[in-house]
Amino acid sequence: MTGENRRANAEAEMASALEALRAAEALLSLALLRDAMSRAYYAVFHAARALLLLEGLEAKTHAGVLRFVATDLVRTGKLDARANLLLAKLHAFRQASDYAYAFDIAASDAGEEIAQARAFVEAASSTVGASSV
């Protein structure tokens, strides 16, 4: 992957992150919390993939993204450890919201998680150089 391709792919991932974030916020406003939490995860997931692409890393799976974020971004000090915790927490919410028979989260808690997702996406967007929300 060339530097030019890396940048273009990172920008495409950021576009997906921003779209997922907008969807999460819209779904939250409609009290569709299960779907809002799933979209919040994908916002952070795509933003993390964008950051990894800039490092020349291309994870093929969700677990790979989690692993690369921990080892190549957090452990090296490029991201705060809270970013790793946010990604892992939202991944668990996404799993539960998409697959559990019962998924329950207070709207205020969902709003807080989505606010954290927004902060992560905005920070990643400024790093990638993509337009933000």
Side-chain angles (χ1 to χ4, degrees), residues 13-14 16-22 24 38-48 90 117-118 120-121:
E13 285 291 339
M14 280 310 308
S16 294
L18 293 166
E19 183 177 304
L21 179 62
R22 285 192 307 274
S38 180
R39 294 294 91 200
Y41 165 71
Y42 278 106
V44 173
F45 171 80
H46 287 294
L90 288 175
R118 171 175 275 287
F120 183 89
V121 169

Side-chain angles (χ1 to χ4, degrees), residues 46-115:
H46 287 294
R49 280 179 50 113
L51 294 173
L52 292 170
L53 283 166
L54 291 181
E55 297 292 318
L57 301 167
E58 189 172 3
K60 303 285 188 211
T61 64
H62 292 266
V65 169
L66 288 163
R67 184 176 58 256
F68 280 151
V69 166
T71 59
D72 293 87
L73 298 180
V74 171
R75 195 172 291 157
T76 61
K78 293 175 183 169
L79 281 181
D80 186 275
R82 289 176 292 191
N84 195 46
L85 294 173
L86 175 65
L87 185 58
K89 182 172 46 169
L90 288 175
H91 183 257
F93 276 130
R94 199 270 312 178
Q95 289 285 103
S97 68
D98 285 353
Y99 300 112
Y101 290 113
F103 176 77
D104 188 32
I105 187 170
S108 60
D109 292 338
E112 177 57 33
E113 298 299 333
I114 292 169

